[in-house]
Amino acid sequence: MGQPLGWGRRYLMVRPDHFRIDYVINPYMSTQDQPDQQLALKQWDSLRQAIIDAGGEVEVLEQRDDSPDMVYAMNLGFGTAQGKAMLSHMRFEPRRKESLTAAEWFMERDFELKRTGSDGVGPHFESGDAFVFGDSLVIGYGPRTEAGALEHIASEWNVRVRGLRITHEGMYHLDLPFCPIDSTHALVYPPALDAASQTELFGIVPDPIVLTDDEAFAFSGNSLVVDETIIMPACSPRLRELLTGLGLRVVVLDLSEFHKGGGSARCMTNPLDFDLAAASVAGGEVVLPA
Ligand code: ARG
């Protein structure tokens, strides 16, 4: 077992008061298959409660009526325990109003807020692509985040950024094929990435737990670790054995309504306590797959 992650205790969530499928920006979404509002709220609340039961904290932000995807709070921005935040600059226009509310939220809480761009100008960055792991800030790019954002963040914050190029259309954010478990273990789904990035991924993660196709597409990689608990939307017997073997308590929740928009437990929860100390390097540095 590696060391505990050191982050993942404080989250921001958005209550699904206006959760709908109004447009299609990923392969899971269909305007013909709308979420059941009441069930969605019940499922969302079970996730909030599971985080609290695991020893975590949840802050709740109200959903904008004009932003049906805002329930996927993971994309509102990347925040650190030291009070830095990088706002998302969404790839798709229908999600950009979310950033107006997110910016207010971060500023009201005294985060030192930066951004890679806004209103389509400047590189896109969606924080569902970004995690601290090992000696770096690991950022997926391709479908949503653009490579230019990695440069921007590295020099803005003087951090080492390792990029992973996502090529799978069903795995459009890094939080779908990558889930840090502790300092050495992570759930990974290599087919989400191009060949060079797969090699890079195995260099970044000392003890990878490789997901099967079925596990990955059941959103098992879209899980979160809160202290000794892993909260997951699905867990095969094989995975359960591996995870309990690492000393984790596995909590499985039904989040079916949120899968209709293409997200699950991780997408619905934005960690606010990342720590960039281990990634810090003078001048910043971007390592891209060969
Ligand atoms: N419908 C949302 C979108 O396509 C889903 C976001 C999922 N969030 C995530 N962090 N992977 O943007």
Side-chain angles (χ1 to χ4, degrees), residues 21-25 29-31 67-70 94-95 98:
I21 313 295
D22 282 359
Y23 49 81
V24 172
I25 56 172
M29 299 172 88
S30 160
T31 54
S67 300
D69 266 334
M70 194 172 164
R95 289 204 68 175
E98 297 174 36

Side-chain angles (χ1 to χ4, degrees), residues 28-86:
Y28 303 91
M29 299 172 88
S30 160
T31 54
Q32 305 302 309
D33 188 15
Q34 292 295 331
D36 176 321
Q37 299 285 337
Q38 264 185 344
L39 183 55
L41 189 54
K42 213 176 116 204
Q43 293 178 345
W44 179 88
D45 208 52
S46 74
L47 176 56
R48 192 187 60 89
Q49 193 57 51
I51 292 172
I52 293 166
D53 292 345
E57 277 169 52
V58 178
E59 289 192 55
V60 177
L61 174 59
E62 258 184 63
Q63 184 176 10
R64 294 174 67 104
D65 181 25
D66 59 7
S67 300
D69 266 334
M70 194 172 164
V71 297
Y72 302 107
M74 177 65 180
N75 292 309
L76 292 178
F78 175 96
T80 75
Q82 291 75 29
K84 291 179 189 293
M86 188 64 64

Side-chain angles (χ1 to χ4, degrees), residues 63-247:
Q63 184 176 10
R64 294 174 67 104
D65 181 25
D66 59 7
S67 300
D69 266 334
M70 194 172 164
V71 297
Y72 302 107
M74 177 65 180
N75 292 309
L76 292 178
F78 175 96
T80 75
Q82 291 75 29
K84 291 179 189 293
M86 188 64 64
L87 195 65
S88 284
H89 174 210
M90 305 285 194
R91 168 80 79 163
F92 296 109
E93 192 279 329
R95 289 204 68 175
R96 291 199 188 130
K97 290 195 196 74
E98 297 174 36
S99 297
L100 304 174
T101 303
E104 270 173 30
W105 189 87
F106 281 114
M107 285 186 311
E108 276 165 13
R109 275 151 196 84
D110 288 329
F111 280 83
E112 187 198 334
L113 188 66
K114 304 285 178 183
R115 54 186 92 211
T116 62
S118 59
D119 300 323
V121 181
H124 299 128
F125 167 66
E126 295 193 5
S127 48
D129 276 321
F131 289 97
V132 172
F133 193 77
D135 70 351
S136 41
L137 176 57
V138 180
I139 306 186
Y141 65 101
R144 299 293 177 89
T145 297
E146 292 175 293
L150 281 55
E151 289 292 344
H152 184 104
I153 294 169
S155 56
E156 182 71 64
W157 280 345
N158 290 299
V159 289
R160 184 179 306 100
V161 172
R162 295 188 192 275
L164 296 173
R165 196 158 82 88
I166 301 174
T167 46
H168 196 303
E169 62 157 0
M171 294 274 143
Y172 45 88
H173 283 126
L174 189 65
D175 64 12
L176 295 163
F178 178 67
C179 178
I181 299 288
D182 62 28
S183 62
T184 66
H185 293 85
L187 303 177
V188 300
Y189 182 63
L193 309 174
D194 71 10
S197 297
Q198 293 188 18
T199 306
E200 176 74 10
L201 174 70
F202 287 114
I204 293 173
V205 182
D207 298 311
I209 298 174
V210 178
L211 298 175
T212 64
D213 294 348
D214 285 349
E215 289 163 351
F217 290 99
F219 291 100
S220 290
N222 203 244
S223 298
L224 60 152
V225 172
V226 183
D227 275 332
E228 255 116 70
T229 302
I230 181 164
I231 303 172
M232 315 180 72
C235 185
S236 64
R238 178 195 86 95
L239 263 186
R240 184 183 289 270
E241 202 173 309
L242 286 167
L243 294 167
T244 51
L246 292 176

